[in-house]
Amino acid sequence: MTYVVTDNCIRCKYMDCVEVCPVDCFYEGENMLVIHPDECIDCGVCEPECPAEAIKPDTEPGLESWIKLNGDYAKTWPNITVRRDPPEDAKDFDGKPNKLAELFSPEPGQGD
Ligand code: SF4
Ligand code: SF4
């Protein structure tokens, strides 16, 4: 089991999650974060910290594509352990549907 970051993180990226992870297993893309499935120890601490409710346990149904996306990009995006300010327009994107198709970027973020 692992935890995964899902759709509503895209363009929100509040980064509250990175501050609480005991094993520093978040990785940063241009406009979302992912969790490394082999590093996550399933502690669950990050799930309630995410203001966008974007973090889910992989035991929830329907998350197959997100499990793959987290695993794939955690291998290439840089590690992030220190919270930065979220984008100024993050609130405008909270809860928007279909972000993966319309807003996802495969480009890496800046990391720590
Ligand atoms: S707190 Fe939630 S929305 Fe913010 S970066 Fe982490 S997973 Fe994404
Ligand atoms: S469940 Fe725990 S170990 Fe996994 S990403 Fe969240 S805080 Fe880190």
Side-chain angles (χ1 to χ4, degrees):
M1 188 191 152
T2 180
Y3 280 73
V4 288
V5 184
T6 64
D7 202 61
N8 206 29
C9 179
I10 298 172
R11 284 301 307 264
C12 287
K13 214 167 122 176
Y14 295 114
M15 292 186 252
D16 295 20
C17 53
V18 303
E19 297 267 274
V20 299
C21 179
V23 293
D24 296 338
C25 65
F26 282 90
Y27 291 79
E28 185 186 10
E30 184 179 15
N31 60 19
M32 82 172 285
L33 304 192
V34 292
I35 291 170
H36 197 306
D38 299 335
E39 296 175 3
C40 174
I41 57 170
D42 312 331
C43 69
V45 170
C46 58
E47 185 185 9
E49 292 297 321
C50 173
E53 298 183 7
I55 300 176
K56 315 274 187 201
D58 73 353
T59 47
E60 277 196 15
L63 293 180
E64 290 76 14
S65 63
W66 290 106
I67 293 167
K68 178 164 178 13
L69 186 147
N70 276 245
D72 287 350
Y73 286 102
K75 293 185 194 126
T76 57
W77 287 352
N79 191 226
I80 177 165
T81 63
V82 180
R83 183 182 189 278
R84 294 194 307 274
D85 289 336
E88 283 185 8
D89 59 357
K91 274 262 173 288
D92 298 341
F93 290 92
D94 192 1
K96 281 210 169 194
N98 209 21
K99 290 193 200 176
L100 180 61
E102 295 175 8
L103 297 168
F104 176 76
S105 166
E107 297 302 317
Q110 69 185 78
D112 284 341

